Amino acid sequence: MSSTPDVRPPTRRPRASAGTGRALQKGQQTKAAIVEAALGLATHIGLEGLSIGALADVTGMSKSGVFAHFGSREELQISVIREYHTRFEQEVFYPAMAAPRGLARLHALYGNWMKRTSIEIDSGCIYISGAVEFDDRTGPVRDALASSVMTWHTAMRRAIEQCKELGELQPDVDAEQMLFEIHGLILALHYEARFLQNPGSLDRAIRGFHNILARYSASAAPATAPVAVAKLPTASRRKVSNQTTTSKE
């Protein structure tokens, strides 16, 4: 007699139920809401000011509920840095990519950077406050912060190199030096407008950018397209107007 082959039904993997999918989506939405609240706190009190307890108070959740989404304060800080960087790219980098390569794109990158900076004069910049908090530390939070800043610097440096390739900047221009000077304008703007509350800081930062282009341009009289920036927030203008400025000698 021929033996009957041992045929077993194929193993079926359990399929995720609709309830599981909804729970996962709800968890992701809750985590995004926590990061949103944490980002709002961090822009005002810094990354080091973040705590599971403070975030629980802001979101109305329990400490264990907040902790369950991140596992540690460090992971929460890193999530905030990533979210900040994502928004920075969406507002500054990607819109500028619509401009042609060369000076037009470099103008767009700086203009968008200035727009974001003018908005952050009242709230604060995580890149700048984070550098103060983590400049002398090591660890994944500092690494995440530094990596985000360097990614942005790489994009700006590439835009400068493209200007050189197109003959719009002098061939011997040091892209790293030019980037350093442009970045310096942003840092000075934060200090002058946010800390010293000096009027005219935005205009000076714009003129500084055009002066840099004039020194490095391949032509004697480079075209200086206007850099569009948002005006200072109302609160900042009010603060500046209430200050007594030192008279010029």
Side-chain angles (χ1 to χ4, degrees), residues 203-223:
D203 290 337
R204 292 189 186 95
I206 294 172
R207 288 201 301 271
F209 178 69
H210 289 311
N211 289 340
I212 291 173
L213 292 185
R215 284 190 288 108
Y216 292 126
S217 175
S219 61

Side-chain angles (χ1 to χ4, degrees), residues 28 31 38-39 62 67 76 99 101 106 119 139 195 198 205 220 222:
Q28 293 172 338
K31 184 173 183 178
L39 180 58
S62 65
F67 187 84
L76 170 64
R101 290 186 178 186
L106 187 59
I119 293 171
F195 178 57
N198 283 336

Side-chain angles (χ1 to χ4, degrees), residues 123-136:
S123 61
C125 172
I126 287 181
Y127 285 163
I128 293 177
S129 62
V132 174
E133 293 175 308
F134 293 92
D135 62 342
D136 58 351

Side-chain angles (χ1 to χ4, degrees), residues 113-131:
W113 199 359
M114 290 286 293
K115 287 179 184 178
R116 184 172 179 90
T117 300
S118 66
I119 293 171
E120 291 179 332
I121 285 172
D122 271 344
S123 61
C125 172
I126 287 181
Y127 285 163
I128 293 177
S129 62

Side-chain angles (χ1 to χ4, degrees), residues 110 114 117 179-190 201 204-210 212:
Y110 185 74
M114 290 286 293
T117 300
L179 170 61
F180 183 90
E181 294 176 21
I182 292 174
H183 188 206
L185 294 174
I186 298 295
L187 297 178
L189 174 59
H190 270 273
S201 301
R204 292 189 186 95
I206 294 172
R207 288 201 301 271
F209 178 69
H210 289 311
I212 291 173

